[in-house]
Amino acid sequence: VLLSVALGRGVAAVGGDKPQPGIVLLAVAGASACAVLVAIGPVLCLAAIGGLAAAGWLPVIAQFGGVDLTLVDIFYVGAVVGYASGLLKESVSTARPTRGRSPIPQLPAILFLAYAGLTLWHVQAVAPGELGDSLVSWLRVVQTASLAWLAAAVIETKRDLTVVLGSIAAGGSVAVL
């Protein structure tokens, strides 16, 4: 159905002058590839995030009220949803042992991010027009910080680590070219 809608939009050239079915087919193929990576699991989503960021390729997919939605954001949501669904499966099934707590203390990082979030009240009081930009910036910092925690939570095997680091290395190599 989505393919039909996308092709119909491209052929009818809604919002443009000329039909561009080639671009629409490419976009549908890219969206399908992203959906496959997200469906496979959070490790591949983290690998995609690392590879795209290392390559410096962060295409903006859409904009909502001044907020850019990038391809990395799609993979981030996929990683979070994949992690959450894994937790749900783990809680239902007792066959898989639960992972131990992280030896890295997380409270200082959480307190720092909470404090940074509280500074938004000051921005609201001093420059209310800047609150939207400041909120988006804070959310991006929280998103970036949560990647470290998410990586520690989902990378369980040496193979997982190899996939993520290999993707980052490949992305860095592409950036150099």
Side-chain angles (χ1 to χ4, degrees):
V1 172
L2 291 175
L3 177 63
S4 300
V5 170
L7 284 174
R9 182 181 186 279
V11 172
V14 175
D17 295 336
K18 295 183 178 181
Q20 299 178 347
I23 292 175
V24 173
L25 282 174
L26 185 61
V28 169
S32 299
C34 290
V36 167
L37 285 178
V38 168
I40 290 174
V43 172
L44 285 183
C45 290
L46 285 176
I49 291 168
L52 289 170
W57 195 63
L58 305 171
V60 174
I61 296 172
Q63 288 187 332
F64 304 100
V67 178
D68 293 339
L69 176 68
T70 66
L71 186 57
V72 169
D73 295 326
I74 302 298
F75 288 123
Y76 177 78
V77 170
V80 170
V81 169
Y83 173 71
S85 68
L87 280 181
L88 289 174
K89 289 176 188 174
E90 185 177 302
S91 68
V92 171
S93 168
T94 57
R96 180 178 169 188
T98 57
R99 291 183 64 174
R101 292 181 47 105
S102 171
I104 302 170
Q106 299 172 10
L107 185 61
I110 292 170
L111 290 175
F112 170 74
L113 293 172
Y115 174 76
L118 289 175
T119 62
L120 294 172
W121 280 345
H122 176 71
V123 173
Q124 172 65 28
V126 174
E130 301 294 321
L131 181 63
D133 291 339
S134 296
L135 177 62
V136 170
S137 295
W138 179 74
L139 288 173
R140 289 291 185 191
V141 167
V142 170
Q143 178 184 17
T144 302
S146 70
L147 282 173
W149 173 82
L150 193 59
V154 301
I155 296 175
E156 296 178 341
T157 65
K158 188 174 182 177
R159 181 182 178 277
D160 292 345
L161 183 62
T162 302
V163 167
V164 172
L165 292 179
S167 177
I168 293 170
S173 297
V174 167
V176 173
L177 299 176

